[in-house]
Structure formats: structure tokens, C-alpha cells
Amino acid sequence: MKPAALIIILLTALSLIPNFASLSSSSWNETWTGYTSRRIVPLTIKVVFVGLNSDVLETKYMMWRENLPESQTNLILVGDNNTGVFFNLTYDFIFPESAYKNELLAYLEEIGRAGPAYNPWWDMFTYNIFFDARKVESWLYENNAEYGGLPENGYTFIIANLTELKSVTYEQMNDPKSSPPTPHYYSVNYEDWDRDYRLRYREFAVAWGGAYRLWFLDLSAGPEYWTWATESDVPYVPLQVALKAFNIDVRTQFGRRWLSEYIADYIGEAVRNFAIPQFVYLPRYSGRYRIVAYLLDNRTEEERKEVTLRSTVNAEWVSEAFEQLFPYSRVETSVKIKSVSDYLELQEQIANYTYSSIDSSGTPYIDLRSVYSYLQAHLKTFVPDYRRDQREFTIPIFAFAFSGNIRFGYSYKWYVMDEPTFNRDLYGISLGDLAIIGLSHADFLLGNEVDPPQPNKGIGYTQLIIHEAGHMIGLMHPHQYGSLGDYVSSAMSYYTWEYNFSRFDLDAVQRAQADQFIMEASSMLEQAKNTMTDRLPSFELRNRIDSAEDLLTKAQQQYTMMNYVSALQYAKSAVETSREALTEARNQWLALPIYTLLGVVIGIAIGQVGIPYIRKRRLEGASRTVQNRS
């Protein structure tokens, strides 16, 4: 047999071995457990102090990790898990020149609006000075060169003490009738887009941010009513009032330490609320987000005629909000208006689980847990094509309209019966698989109940749907780590009535999704390279791996510059290319068996060709020897 023919036969026989490469791949899949997902993300936190100098602050002590977070696991609160990301924080404390403060004061004096107005903190009319919060935020952003610019990879928090402005004093706080208060505030205005109701008391903020990667707090502003109405938080107190109340002298060692801790606590809250927020659920990427809102009417015929549910919602505004959040995905919102009577079993749930106190002194409430149990069990009835994957992420919203002023209550032991109603009932709740909203007919006409009246105006569902759907994709409240976080232009804030998400919200979700793709691509790329080490060389596979590495490098570069949308797109392509490389690597011939077989082939070839050749030469040599002897 010719040597070339023998080699061809051996290779052909080898190719007939049942799916050799695929068998190896299958075994790998069964034993592979994946790499541990862990990603270290550095962020710079720039803190700009205006009206405070380094002589009264112990900046080194403030940066101590017990005062300010140094590193933080990115947690997922429901399920006690994390995203695999760990933030490493670096602080940059800046004390700009006094000229910068003077410029800011001059600008505030220019835009200030002063005069008497009802102040909810004192429950009386006071002489207030209001500054447009959005204008101040823009001015601080546009003049960032004055404090060294904005960090390329991080956030800026401006902490100001502007007692040169008219500000409240300890005496005014203590005895407002004898000493008329003169506080200053940062004002915003909000109206419900569905029912035109103007939200009250939104002129009394002491901090603001959200349009940029910037947030400011004026320690001399206030007092404001918002944090005092929040029982779970320590209320905000204007700095000058706190210093007098606690007899703090910042010129002393104790005073400097007290002030450093006081301000560090506010900075720490801002960092946790805005720069590195936690998530309710993991913000999963999908190519399509589909919000399915059911508006379920449980009102009387008279109430339905007075306010139609069609006037309480706008699907387009919901989609626009989430298109900002997911510019790389499709967003669809559908609204279906139904009568609760169309679902008899649901109607019975509401009728059977509506409660009121024995003496009927309180407003009745509907047990939300019972209704949730029904909706969860019958979810596929309402949303038969419910999906949660990378192709589509469905967000079911069930929004109820109840008669009179009845709303949902989420019971916990006896607490649901507590008064006032603010502590008992709720507008909406996100539950992971679905969200539930409940408004009463009185909410649609809320303006009739306030002073001064806003006749026939009220609130609708659109903002609430955006808020609850925001929870469903993972966003937390911005006041999670301190109520001052509510002073931000976010649909997730309680203080505002925003229809869009803040820059902090966009960053949090887009960064988390980019992280997931980067970690997935890194893991598969590592697997592909490890698999390739014991396979036959392939220029095509090497090029594919190089391409995946290049895409991953570009994703990292964009990520570092906080271009999270671009980072995600590069990382997503890196995942696809890495997956192709891994599949190709697993299907390559194993190098050791091939080299062994080649050795066998070469050995056989030598046996078939070399040995006869040697024998022939020996015989020829022996023949010549005999001839010579002859």
C-alpha cells in the first residue's frame, strides 16, 4: 500500500468515530460551573464645599470608611443577592475660591423671589425667599470649571452654607410669632399631566439635582416639612440652627469634629442614594420591554360618567420615559380599560376583603394581599404571553379605580388599621411579577378638597405606572438612605411628580446591564481561551478571540468614561463573538489525540516505507560485497 493512501485511510477512519469533538463539548457542559462573577468598579466622588473652609472641617477624618463608604457591594434587596459589582470610591474634596461663592450669591439674589406664603413646616404664613431649583442646578453645572470641572468617572456633590442669604435663625424656629421667620428654599413646580392637579408645597426643597451627575445641598436653607413627615428618618435641621441648639463652636476641636461628622452623614447619604444606589430587583436586559396596564373600574355609574378612565392615563408618556432608560431596546405600552364586573371572581375578592373599623370611624380599605394572591394565580388570564427573557420583558400593571375614597391597604398585623390614613393606605406597590395601583374616585377630583381649591382637578395613573414600572425593572427610591434624596428630578421620588428618570437612574440601570454583559463576555472569553490551549491551532478561531477581546476593551473604555449605552452595545457584541469563539473552540480537534494519531501514522508510514527501503539497501550492499569478493 502506498504511504499517501495509508494516511488518507487513517484520517478518514478517524472522522468516522462518533462525533468526537461534540462528545468532548458535551462532557464540558456537564462539568462546567462557570467563573465567579466579580467586578471592581472605581468611581470618583467629588465634593465641593461652598461657604465652608478647610479650617473647620477634618477632611481626612471625614474620608474614614466609618463616615463615608469606601467600598460597597451593589446589592439586590429582594432575594438578598448582589450584581457581582463592587464599587471602590475615591473622594476628592474641593474648596473653591471665595469669588465662586460670591458669584453664586449674586446669581441667587438675581433669580430670587421673595414674599409671604403659606409654609407647611410652621403651618402659617412666613416671609420666604424662593430660588428656582432647576436654574440653580444648571448654573452649578455650567460653572463647573470654577471648581476644577466634573470627574470623568464619577459624581459631583456640592455642599453649601449660604447664611449670607436671608436664612432662618434658632430664635425664629423656636418662637416664630415673636421672631418672624425668613427662610430660603429651592422651588420646583409639578402638575399631574392626566388631571391637571398642581401638587402643593413643592417650593420648599433644600437640595436638588438629577439633570446631570450633580446634586447640591444648601445646609442653611429650610426648615422643610418633608423630612419631618418621614417617621423613619432623622429630620433635616438647618446648620445654623443646629449649631445654636447644641451650643457647637466650630473653632474648638470638638466643634470641628461635630461639624465634620454632621456633613459627612449628608454626603454619605447622597453617595448611597445617587452614585451607587442599590436595586429592588436585578435590572435585566431585554431587547423589548412591554408594559401591559390593565385599568380596572370598580366605581359607580355616576362616578364613571363624571371622570372617564380614559382621561386618567397616557400610554405614550409611559413609553417615552422608558425609551430614555432603554435607548437600545424597544419599548411598548398598552392600556386596557375594563370593568371589574368583567371578572366576577376578582369582583368577589374586592367585595369580600374590604374592611372598616367596628365604629366605622375610619375609611374602609381593601386588603391588597388578597387581591394580589388572586392576580398572581390568574396572571396568564390577563397576560397570556407573559415573558421574562432577553427577547422580551413583560411588566404587568393592574390599576384599580375605587368608589368614594376607598383605597388599598397592605396589612401587617394591626398596623393597617392605624391612623392617619397616610400610614395605612397606598397608591401602588411593585411585587416583582406584577405591580398593583389603587386610586379612589376622590383622587381623580383631589383639587376639590384642597385650599385654595383646584376645581375638578386631580391625579391620574400615568406617573404612578412609570414609578411602579421603574421598581419592576429594579430602581429603588432615591430616599432609601435619607429623605433628602427625594429632592431630585426622578419619577422614583415621592416629593416630585416627575414623568422621567434622573441621570442617576439612567446610570444605575444602564451601568448594571453593561456590567452583566461585560462579566458574561469576560467569562466566555476566558473559557474559549482555556479550551483553545489543548486544541489544534486555528487562525480563524484566534481571529475571533482577538475580535472579542477588542470589543471588550472598547466596552471597558466607554464604561470608564460613563458612556454606559455604548459600553453595553460593545459588551453585547463581545458576548456574541465570545460565544461563537467558545463554540468553535469546543468543536476543534483535541491536539493530543491528533498528535498521537499522527505519530502512529508516521510510525506506520516508516514501517511501510522505511524498513523495506533499509532492507533493500542492505541487500544491495551485501550483493556488492559478494561481487567485490568475486
Side-chain angles (χ1 to χ4, degrees), residues 462-513:
T462 302
Q463 201 282 334
L464 297 172
I465 290 173
I466 295 170
H467 179 97
E468 297 305 333
H471 284 317
M472 293 284 281
I473 53 91
L475 285 170
M476 197 63 213
H477 296 130
H479 57 257
Q480 179 69 14
Y481 294 98
S483 292
L484 287 183
D486 250 359
Y487 295 130
V488 64
S489 53
S490 168
M492 305 311 296
S493 164
Y494 279 1
Y495 181 81
T496 69
W497 200 253
E498 281 280 350
Y499 289 78
N500 290 297
F501 297 102
S502 72
R503 180 73 260 175
F504 306 117
D505 297 327
L506 302 183
D507 280 355
V509 171
Q510 293 166 5
R511 178 171 58 211
Q513 293 187 346

Side-chain angles (χ1 to χ4, degrees), residues 29 77 87 120 236 309 332 364 426 488 498 527 550 612:
N29 281 333
L77 300 181
F87 293 110
Y236 163 88
L309 285 196
E332 296 177 10
L426 70 162
V488 64
E498 281 280 350
Q527 293 177 56
D550 181 59

Side-chain angles (χ1 to χ4, degrees), residues 140-159:
L140 294 170
Y141 173 79
E142 291 163 3
N143 290 273
N144 66 79
E146 299 285 339
Y147 47 82
L150 304 173
E152 183 182 63
N153 183 28
Y155 298 88
T156 300
F157 299 116
I158 298 176
I159 309 297

Side-chain angles (χ1 to χ4, degrees), residues 314-598:
N314 188 304
E316 186 177 342
W317 293 336
V318 176
S319 291
E320 286 174 358
F322 285 89
E323 284 165 0
Q324 273 192 310
L325 203 58
F326 303 118
Y328 36 74
S329 302
R330 288 175 57 197
V331 176
E332 296 177 10
T333 303
S334 62
V335 174
K336 303 177 182 181
I337 298 176
K338 299 284 187 179
S339 173
V340 171
S341 61
D342 293 340
Y343 307 94
L344 295 179
E345 199 174 342
L346 176 58
Q347 190 176 39
E348 289 177 4
Q349 289 279 327
I350 293 171
N352 292 339
Y353 300 109
T354 299
Y355 297 102
S356 60
S357 58
I358 295 175
D359 59 3
S360 300
S361 60
T363 303
Y365 75 94
I366 298 163
D367 181 38
L368 188 142
R369 277 199 279 184
S370 295
V371 174
Y372 174 40
S373 175
Y374 168 84
L375 292 173
Q376 188 181 65
H378 297 82
L379 183 56
K380 287 297 182 74
T381 301
F382 293 92
V383 191
D385 49 352
Y386 180 93
R387 291 181 61 172
R388 289 287 177 89
D389 54 40
Q390 283 202 6
R391 291 184 61 189
E392 182 179 295
F393 191 92
T394 310
I395 303 174
I397 309 280
F398 294 92
F400 290 82
F402 298 119
S403 286
N405 60 352
I406 298 175
R407 298 186 188 89
F408 278 122
Y410 200 96
S411 59
Y412 185 71
K413 299 178 181 176
W414 54 267
Y415 184 71
V416 75
M417 297 303 295
D418 189 27
E419 294 291 348
T421 57
F422 179 81
N423 294 327
R424 187 190 67 186
D425 52 26
L426 70 162
Y427 283 155
I429 186 169
S430 166
L431 298 156
D433 50 353
L434 57 91
I436 300 176
I437 294 170
L439 289 179
S440 68
H441 186 70
D443 292 318
F444 301 144
L445 300 170
L446 186 61
N448 294 340
E449 308 298 325
V450 300
D451 184 26
Q454 302 179 41
N456 299 321
K457 295 181 179 181
I459 61 173
Y461 291 105
T462 302
Q463 201 282 334
L464 297 172
I465 290 173
I466 295 170
H467 179 97
E468 297 305 333
H471 284 317
M472 293 284 281
I473 53 91
L475 285 170
M476 197 63 213
H477 296 130
H479 57 257
Q480 179 69 14
Y481 294 98
S483 292
L484 287 183
D486 250 359
Y487 295 130
V488 64
S489 53
S490 168
M492 305 311 296
S493 164
Y494 279 1
Y495 181 81
T496 69
W497 200 253
E498 281 280 350
Y499 289 78
N500 290 297
F501 297 102
S502 72
R503 180 73 260 175
F504 306 117
D505 297 327
L506 302 183
D507 280 355
V509 171
Q510 293 166 5
R511 178 171 58 211
Q513 293 187 346
D515 282 323
Q516 292 168 48
F517 279 120
I518 288 172
M519 288 189 287
E520 186 179 0
S522 299
S523 177
M524 282 198 292
L525 191 55
E526 190 68 22
Q527 293 177 56
K529 289 194 288 188
N530 288 342
T531 305
M532 190 178 69
T533 57
D534 59 359
R535 309 285 165 144
L536 282 177
S538 165
F539 290 111
E540 185 178 348
L541 175 58
R542 182 69 259 176
N543 288 338
R544 202 179 297 277
I545 287 176
D546 289 345
S547 177
E549 287 183 326
D550 181 59
L551 289 166
L552 197 53
T553 298
K554 289 177 179 176
Q556 296 277 19
Q557 291 171 343
Q558 293 297 309
Y559 186 101
T560 301
M561 294 186 291
M562 304 185 82
N563 296 329
Y564 297 126
V565 172
S566 295
L568 182 146
Q569 291 167 330
Y570 277 121
K572 185 171 180 289
S573 296
V575 167
E576 295 165 358
T577 308
S578 298
R579 185 180 291 114
E580 292 169 358
L582 179 57
T583 301
E584 188 173 334
R586 288 174 173 174
N587 288 326
Q588 286 290 107
W589 294 96
L590 282 171
L592 182 59
I594 292 296
Y595 292 144
T596 302
L597 285 166
L598 285 175

Side-chain angles (χ1 to χ4, degrees), residues 185-202:
Y185 298 99
Y186 298 86
S187 68
V188 288
N189 294 301
Y190 285 101
E191 288 185 1
D192 183 273
W193 291 1
D194 297 320
R195 301 284 305 151
D196 300 327
Y197 175 76
R198 178 175 176 176
L199 277 80
R200 301 185 299 165
Y201 313 141
R202 267 43 182 186

